[in-house]
Amino acid sequence: MIEVREVQDAEERRAAFALRAAVFVDEQGVPPELEIDEHDDDALHLVALDGARVVGTCRLVDGAGTAKFGRLVVAGDARGRGIGSALLGEAERRARALGRGRMTLTAQTAAMGLYERAGYTPRGEVFLDAGIKHVTMEKALA
């Protein structure tokens, strides 16, 4: 059974960041210096655990009235099990608890379906981020 919750200690945080590096840097070719940014220190980091193993992670950056979701990854051997949706749902719950009425994200175009199924709407044009096509999406949480 998969448990989704906030990172609880330095070891889980390291495992979450290692998973992000494995997916974004190793699989997708994102330059390592772009993967970790200034928002990581202040973000709420969530993990999906299969036993003690971190199999998914994401972050939530709090803003005035809007929460920004990002850095969603799921381990290759754990994909297709609804882990990404579970992380997104928990992030939305946390954003609502903070009193945020809207959540935004920048989705890789290949992952838009996940967000559209969860009620997100694309806004603006497709753009490149780290050489990968993205689109801004948002959802009202109220």
Side-chain angles (χ1 to χ4, degrees):
M1 177 155 167
I2 301 297
E3 177 187 7
V4 175
R5 60 170 169 71
E6 186 174 349
V7 165
Q8 291 187 343
D9 57 33
E11 183 178 335
E12 279 184 2
R13 184 178 168 100
R14 278 192 297 277
F17 279 54
L19 179 57
R20 282 174 41 179
V23 173
F24 291 131
V25 177
D26 299 340
E27 277 184 42
Q28 298 182 349
V30 172
E33 62 273 12
L34 296 180
E35 203 290 298
I36 301 293
D37 66 18
E38 69 278 5
H39 300 294
D40 279 313
D41 287 339
D42 297 323
L44 169 70
H45 296 274
L46 300 175
V47 288
L49 297 148
D50 188 354
R53 180 177 167 229
V54 173
V55 294
T57 189
C58 66
R59 74 178 187 190
L60 188 65
V61 177
D62 190 24
T66 301
K68 183 158 177 15
F69 179 80
R71 300 301 201 269
L72 173 65
V73 294
V74 176
D77 64 350
R79 293 178 190 151
R81 296 170 48 193
I83 295 168
S85 293
L87 283 161
L88 179 61
E90 179 63 13
E92 289 178 1
R93 189 184 74 71
R94 299 292 183 113
R96 283 186 193 98
L98 291 169
R100 302 304 168 245
R102 179 165 300 283
M103 195 147 87
T104 65
L105 56 92
T106 56
Q108 292 184 11
T109 56
M112 284 178 66
L114 166 74
Y115 300 110
E116 288 174 328
R117 287 189 297 278
Y120 286 79
T121 304
R123 298 284 185 243
E125 301 297 318
V126 172
F127 61 94
L128 289 179
D129 185 4
I132 301 169
K133 290 181 180 180
H134 284 73
V135 66
T136 299
M137 301 182 81
E138 63 182 19
K139 176 181 177 178
L141 297 176

